[in-house]
Amino acid sequence: MPVRLPAACVALTAVTVLAIPTASAQESEADRAARLALRLLNHYSILFARSAVDLTYESLSITPETFDTVLTGVRVYPDLGGEDPRACEVVIDRLSSGTLYSFETSETLIEINGLTVPRGCMAPEQAAMILGMGYDGLTSDTMSIRISYDLPSSAAEISVVADVVEAVDLSIDASFDYLWLRLPLDGGNDEPVPVARLGAIEASLENRGLWERMEPILSAQLGDLSTAPQMVEGMVLQGLSGPTGAAPGAEAQAFAADLGREIGRFLEEKNRLVVAARPQNGLWLDETLLADPNALLASLNPSVSAVPSPIGALIPPADLAAALGGGALDDEARRRVGRALVTGIGAPRSIEEGAEVLDPLVAAWDGEAVALLAEARAAQGATEDAYRLALRAMSASRAEGITLADQLETELALDQTLVLQRQAYQTWPGAEARDTEDTALLDSADVPAIRQRAYDAALGDGVPRNYAQAYLWATLAAAAGDRGAATLRDRLDRRFSGSTGGAWTDLTRTAGREAAEIWSQQGLATRILGRFGLD
């Protein structure tokens, strides 16, 4: 008799709860509850997946520290429509997935270890071709997929790295300035439509034995392979000529020539091919692009080479040695070397050595340098240092600084936050000029400008964030009837009035006294009245 779904769900829940290990002394109840919820979600996801494809697995575990999900001994049986629905058995030794969340970004990583796809999963002609090259199937030791998404900009980066044993290493990197799915809102059954603006894409194929197996087959079919570059170039140009037979444009001819030349080089060196597209100003992807292949090719700005872009971005050893040895570097070289050391891209990661290289730029409040180091310090858990650097990044109008500061303030006590803000403003190179502008602003009695000053200080827009200054400016503008300033002042009160230690009470008391002096004794109220002819 079939088991009804509610009963099955109750049984699965009971089994799942029993499967959760006893919380260790180091694991909080909240962490244990999160692991339980994630295990339940994964189990129900597997039940849902079985509605589309048959699959089994040996074990499922949740990593306590990172909450990654790990499945081992996975067997997938795609229904290929033959007589035996399980003729195709895809084997995965280990499947790991997890997502890292920060304030407004997420990074998802999927790793597959020990993937085996037998010939039985392929169409007969594909299976015959694979067998002819000496493969009984396709196996991969490691495959990883990384997806990074930025919520504010909807920008995304997708990276796929995989190997096929005794065949190839493959990597694909794509960046999108904008990526999302537009859902039908009229209640129809239309599929979601992807909306994408391509920033760049690169595919790199490294020969690991595949060409040595293909070469005899192609030689037998095509004869002398030395003519292959010309054949490929001709085929590309013919494909781009269009139905009218018009000659391809200059960009198409240049791409075809590059492709033919690089294929000739590959035939000699048997190493790699790298194909990339880097639109100069980004490229919205839609169906109209396919109507004119020449225009599409010109927009994509494609290239073919033997060097992946990450290799081209490696820091030359002489430059790295000079930077680490305290040698003279111009600002741009210092940024490049420091960025490589801090991020681990272009040089082995060493945040401390990267910080030393960037130190002269950080001391000069260079926006890119302080933003870069602020994010690295935050990742290390150095909250105060990261916040101090984030405040500096704000002065250069770096959005990363504002976003990071918002996140770090949840980890700092209010009195710490206010001290760091005060110190940042005191050491800010623009402080003296700002103070002069403030004096002129008060003399002008321009209430909307005073309100904007409050918002600049509260947000950290072009100036290190400073809640004390924000509250003072908001109090002055609100006294003149500016409702926006009053809203900001009241919002700051609601946010911080419940803070322990009395730091906010002290701040508001000091701001009130200073505002009263500026308002009355220094004549701000009189000047405001004068602007409206009421003095």
Side-chain angles (χ1 to χ4, degrees), residues 157-488:
E157 294 184 358
I158 302 173
S159 174
V160 179
V161 179
D163 76 305
V164 179
V165 176
E166 297 183 2
V168 296
D169 281 336
L170 175 68
S171 67
I172 301 174
D173 293 288
S175 64
F176 295 87
D177 302 327
Y178 187 94
L179 181 65
W180 196 241
L181 294 174
R182 185 169 295 158
L183 303 175
L185 301 178
D186 57 1
N189 296 322
D190 294 337
E191 295 292 329
V193 177
V195 181
R197 181 180 175 86
L198 178 67
I201 186 169
E202 178 176 292
S204 175
L205 186 149
E206 180 92 20
N207 175 47
R208 298 294 187 186
L210 177 62
W211 177 249
E212 285 74 10
R213 298 178 185 233
M214 289 183 61
E215 188 174 21
I217 299 175
L218 292 177
S219 297
Q221 294 176 347
L222 303 176
D224 185 7
L225 292 182
S226 64
T227 62
Q230 293 76 19
M231 293 174 56
V232 170
E233 182 176 350
M235 292 170 60
V236 171
L237 291 175
Q238 183 179 1
L240 293 173
S241 63
T244 63
E251 295 87 354
Q253 294 183 36
F255 173 71
D258 286 347
L259 180 60
R261 181 171 54 254
E262 286 300 318
I263 287 179
R265 177 201 53 77
F266 176 81
L267 293 178
E268 294 181 4
E269 300 176 0
K270 300 179 176 58
N271 49 11
R272 75 194 66 81
L273 277 174
V274 181
V275 181
R278 298 181 179 87
Q280 293 183 353
N281 299 309
L283 179 63
W284 289 103
L285 303 179
D286 55 51
E287 295 178 357
T288 60
L289 290 171
L290 302 178
D292 188 347
N294 278 284
L296 172 60
L297 202 63
S299 300
L300 286 173
N301 188 29
S303 64
V304 189
S305 69
V307 182
S309 58
I311 300 300
L314 294 183
I315 302 299
D319 291 355
L320 185 59
L324 297 178
L329 294 173
D330 61 36
D331 288 351
E332 185 53 40
R334 192 172 293 278
R335 286 190 199 94
R336 186 174 67 253
V337 175
R339 185 189 308 113
L341 289 168
V342 169
T343 63
I345 300 174
R349 184 173 185 176
S350 174
I351 294 178
E352 299 308 321
E353 289 184 320
E356 291 180 9
V357 172
L358 292 172
D359 185 63
L361 296 175
V362 171
W365 290 61
D366 179 85
E368 183 178 350
V370 293
L372 180 67
L373 196 54
E375 293 178 339
R377 291 304 191 200
Q380 288 180 311
T383 305
E384 284 197 20
D385 195 22
Y387 188 70
R388 187 179 294 109
L389 291 163
L391 292 172
R392 294 191 176 200
M394 291 178 179
S395 70
S397 298
R398 299 286 300 197
E400 308 98 303
I402 297 175
T403 302
L404 185 58
D406 286 343
Q407 179 182 7
L408 294 171
E409 283 176 10
T410 64
E411 304 174 26
L412 290 168
L414 178 59
D415 57 347
Q416 293 176 286
T417 298
L418 297 177
V419 167
L420 292 171
Q421 289 179 353
R422 185 169 61 252
Q423 292 173 347
Y425 189 82
Q426 290 170 348
T427 57
W428 179 41
E432 184 176 351
R434 186 81 171 190
D435 291 342
T436 301
E437 293 173 4
D438 290 348
T439 301
L441 179 57
L442 291 174
D443 289 341
S444 73
D446 185 342
V447 174
I450 292 174
R451 177 233 300 145
Q452 187 57 48
R453 213 62 159 184
Y455 273 99
D456 289 345
L459 298 175
D461 187 4
V463 61
R465 175 176 287 171
N466 192 303
Y467 290 136
Q469 291 183 3
Y471 196 85
L472 172 63
W473 289 109
T475 300
L476 291 171
D482 190 286
R483 295 185 182 278
T487 298
L488 174 59

Side-chain angles (χ1 to χ4, degrees), residues 462-512:
V463 61
R465 175 176 287 171
N466 192 303
Y467 290 136
Q469 291 183 3
Y471 196 85
L472 172 63
W473 289 109
T475 300
L476 291 171
D482 190 286
R483 295 185 182 278
T487 298
L488 174 59
R489 178 201 59 197
D490 295 344
R491 183 163 56 82
L492 290 171
D493 272 330
R494 285 194 300 271
R495 176 179 175 184
F496 296 119
S497 59
S499 302
T500 59
W504 189 249
T505 300
D506 293 341
L507 182 151
T508 57
R509 184 184 298 116
T510 300

Side-chain angles (χ1 to χ4, degrees), residues 29 42 95 149 200 305 346 442 502 532:
E29 289 299 321
N42 278 283
L95 170 63
Y149 188 76
S305 69
L442 291 174
F532 294 90

